[in-house]
Amino acid sequence: DGGGQVERSDGDGGGGMWLGRQMGKKMNEMRADEALKTKADYLATACPYCLNMIEDGVKSLSKESALQVVDIIERLNKAIIC
């Protein structure tokens, strides 16, 4: 049991997000949908490409209130300071 944590790449090869590739459904929406299905409050990532891509996917699906996408350092900082 991973304590509810899932480790996964965005699957878009870093710079792929800038190319606007189409595969039926956009990769950012696919990854955002997968994250939303976990019912997690937060998705934390250390990858700036993943952060932008998944955050854009969540916005594209109009689900900003359901999932907050954050940099893992931001989350760690809040945990230490609070």
Side-chain angles (χ1 to χ4, degrees):
D1 183 339
Q5 299 175 4
V6 178
E7 296 177 23
R8 159 175 262 193
S9 167
D10 65 31
D12 208 22
M17 66 178 277
W18 304 110
L19 299 176
R21 289 190 303 214
Q22 298 286 326
M23 298 184 311
K25 191 171 184 182
K26 293 180 181 179
M27 182 63 74
N28 63 347
E29 293 174 359
M30 290 170 50
R31 292 295 179 246
D33 190 47
E34 289 174 352
L36 288 160
K37 286 179 182 176
T38 70
K39 305 287 188 208
D41 295 324
Y42 295 92
L43 183 142
T45 180
C47 173
Y49 292 115
C50 296
L51 181 73
N52 287 330
M53 188 182 82
I54 297 171
E55 194 171 55
D56 287 348
V58 170
K59 288 177 184 175
S60 177
L61 297 172
S62 300
K63 297 291 186 175
E64 299 95 331
S65 63
L67 180 67
Q68 186 176 359
V69 183
V70 298
D71 186 296
I72 198 163
I73 297 301
E74 291 177 34
R75 205 59 192 137
L76 181 60
N77 188 42
K78 281 186 179 184
I80 292 171
I81 292 175
C82 292

